[in-house]
Amino acid sequence: MKYICITALAAALGCFSAGSMAQSFYVGANAGTSSIKIDCEARQVCDESGTAYRLTAGYLFGNGFAVEAGFASFGKATARDGGLSATLKASGAFIGGAYTLPVNDSFGIGLRAGLINMKAEVNASITGQGSGSASESKAKGYFGVGLNYTLSKSTRLEMALDSSRAEVVGDDGTVRAYTLGVRYSF
């Protein structure tokens, strides 16, 4: 799926001449906290929060519309009960569209949606019994919303919420990332 995303983005970007690309390509990096919803009933210890990040590359067509691809990590969640310990991680490559609605000269509201090849990995162990793991990668929809602030013609700050679903061993749940980041256009 990573290679499909990269190939599709490269093909879309290849359709434009060098003269029309000024201030149109961008890269971005976001980091923050995550929330992975897992079944925490009757668990002694349950931590659904982790560290999230997103790396993005895109092309701005004009009028606020863009195509972008990248990689997002929604962190990990852990649960422990007696001798049982389990960890769930969720991450994946994505491709999609984005739109920025300008509020004024400095602020804008960003919306994004697309497909993510979500890899969910669970690792579990039972004290004195052993351990095991399972992982699945499935194409899932994702969406995001954010507030951005323009620092200069090429640089802006972004506060974002991204959400999707992760599925492993027949169970699925919502994954969210709450991040702050920067985007640079060239």
Side-chain angles (χ1 to χ4, degrees):
M1 181 69 175
K2 285 183 196 177
Y3 302 110
I4 293 171
C5 291
I6 292 169
T7 303
L9 180 62
L13 298 177
C15 295
F16 301 95
S17 68
S20 68
M21 292 188 207
Q23 292 289 321
S24 295
F25 285 102
Y26 63 88
V27 293
N30 290 49
T33 187
S34 65
S35 171
I36 299 178
K37 294 298 179 192
I38 58 175
D39 181 9
C40 285
E41 290 184 33
R43 304 290 186 266
Q44 290 177 343
V45 177
C46 188
D47 183 3
E48 295 181 322
S49 63
T51 302
Y53 67 90
R54 176 172 38 95
L55 303 173
T56 307
Y59 181 81
L60 183 63
F61 291 105
N63 296 329
F65 289 98
V67 62
E68 55 186 28
F71 183 83
S73 172
F74 291 89
K76 69 179 181 177
T78 57
R80 286 188 289 284
D81 189 17
L84 173 65
S85 176
T87 302
L88 173 67
K89 297 178 184 179
S91 62
F94 65 86
I95 187 166
Y99 178 72
T100 300
L101 175 67
V103 175
N104 59 32
D105 288 342
S106 297
F107 287 95
I109 297 171
L111 305 170
R112 71 178 52 83
L115 291 174
I116 185 167
N117 184 32
M118 184 67 73
K119 179 180 180 183
E121 180 180 353
V122 65
N123 295 298
S125 64
I126 300 174
T127 305
Q129 300 294 318
S131 62
S133 65
S135 68
E136 291 182 30
S137 294
K138 293 194 177 197
K140 298 285 186 179
Y142 81 90
F143 72 92
V145 62
L147 178 64
N148 56 63
Y149 177 75
T150 302
L151 293 174
S152 69
K153 184 176 178 181
S154 61
T155 308
R156 74 178 195 192
L157 300 176
E158 178 185 53
M159 179 174 55
L161 161 66
D162 293 297
S163 184
S164 187
R165 298 198 57 86
E167 182 177 342
V168 65
V169 194
D171 288 326
D172 71 339
T174 302
V175 294
R176 290 193 175 100
Y178 309 92
T179 60
L180 295 174
V182 64
R183 183 174 106 174
Y184 180 76
S185 300
F186 50 94

